[in-house]
Amino acid sequence: QKEVEQDPGPLSVPEGAIVSLNCTYSNSAFQYFMWYRQYSRKGPELLMYTYSSGNKEDGRFTAQVDKSSKYISLFIRDSQPSDSATYLCATNTDKLIFGTGTRLQVFP
Amino acid sequence: NAGVTQTPKFRVLKTGQSMTLLCAQDMNHEYMYWYRQDPGMGLRLIHYSVGEGTTAKGEVPDGYNVSRLKKQNFLLGLESAAPSQTSVYFCASSYQGDNYGYTFGSGTRLTVV
């Protein structure tokens, strides 16, 4: 079993839709959770990070962690074509462990 | 602009050739990492360093060597390239381990024929 599992997609939505991206993880000791965004032919960039359970909001983006079910989510409100990218979840032991990424396409 | 710079951006190698990928960061980060990214496999850690003069193996270290002679530079070497090493290679750095997130370079696309 992989330590972090992520649906690869692709996920295709119309502009303005609410997008939900999800990951599951296996180790209850994980405390820090991150979402990275990767545009085509670019390196990943840190989008949001949260510690332990709860929600964190930043503009149109909300990161949510449910430690009881080992589930992490990223919600994008009012999605835009510029949100089209691959989104990678990550968590840590002594190093970051990444999900395989979900490719999102937002069409006009 | 501050950040992580990788050179070269693209390279085509013949099987058996050697090359070195260079990563440079100007953020005074202690930790540096080399990843490879393959379709369906995500980011896999090759080697990492927790400070100048230190290196350690990651998840997929075979066929690669690294050196961290200066704090700002982290080199990844392929001594005898194989087609299985065709990939996109990313370097990353962080201030203190992974809790605060990594800063990635823009990648090196390597093809081994």
Side-chain angles (χ1 to χ4, degrees):
Chain A
Q1 181 189 8
K2 288 185 178 179
E3 292 186 280
V4 180
E5 300 269 8
Q6 187 173 8
D7 188 329
L11 185 61
S12 186
V13 302
E15 183 175 354
I18 297 174
V19 176
S20 173
L21 303 167
N22 307 295
C23 291
T24 59
Y25 62 94
S26 59
N27 191 334
S28 58
F30 294 154
Q31 295 281 0
Y32 293 85
F33 304 93
M34 295 151 212
W35 284 95
Y36 283 79
R37 178 174 60 195
Q38 185 177 20
Y39 290 115
S40 180
R41 297 185 174 266
K42 298 289 185 183
E45 56 177 342
L46 182 64
L47 189 61
M48 296 184 72
Y49 93 89
T50 57
Y51 173 72
S52 195
S53 284
N55 292 359
K56 185 174 183 179
E57 189 172 319
D58 184 2
R60 296 184 294 109
F61 298 88
T62 300
Q64 188 174 81
V65 177
D66 182 348
K67 293 200 76 180
S68 62
S69 58
K70 300 191 187 73
Y71 202 80
I72 56 178
S73 302
L74 179 70
F75 299 97
I76 307 174
R77 294 184 299 280
D78 187 25
S79 56
Q80 302 294 311
S82 58
D83 295 328
S84 298
T86 297
Y87 291 81
L88 302 103
C89 60
T91 184
N92 70 303
T93 54
D94 57 344
K95 294 172 290 298
L96 277 188
I97 303 166
F98 288 89
T100 53
T102 299
R103 186 177 162 200
L104 171 67
Q105 183 177 2
V106 182
F107 55 90
Chain B
N1 290 339
V4 177
T5 303
Q6 292 183 234
T7 53
K9 295 191 184 307
F10 305 93
R11 186 73 186 269
V12 178
L13 281 181
K14 293 183 178 180
T15 297
Q17 287 185 320
S18 63
M19 76 165 295
T20 301
L21 283 67
L22 173 63
C23 176
Q25 54 92 6
D26 58 5
M27 298 170 285
N28 201 34
H29 283 173
E30 287 292 333
Y31 292 60
M32 297 187 73
Y33 314 83
W34 276 107
Y35 284 87
R36 59 178 290 173
Q37 187 175 40
D38 303 289
M41 303 293 289
L43 285 161
R44 292 183 292 169
L45 183 64
I46 304 171
H47 286 282
Y48 65 101
S49 168
V50 300
E52 182 178 313
T54 74
T55 62
K57 294 180 180 179
E59 181 186 355
V60 288
D62 293 343
Y64 306 94
N65 56 75
V66 287
S67 64
R68 183 102 181 265
L69 298 179
K70 293 183 178 180
K71 184 177 182 179
Q72 63 268 33
N73 295 337
F74 195 27
L75 278 62
L76 178 71
L78 286 74
E79 290 186 347
S80 179
S84 60
Q85 294 178 304
T86 294
S87 187
V88 182
Y89 291 86
F90 287 101
C91 176
S93 68
S94 65
Y95 178 63
Q96 55 176 89
D98 53 342
N99 292 346
Y100 297 86
Y102 296 176
T103 301
F104 280 85
S106 58
T108 295
R109 291 184 172 272
L110 175 66
T111 301
V112 182
V113 297

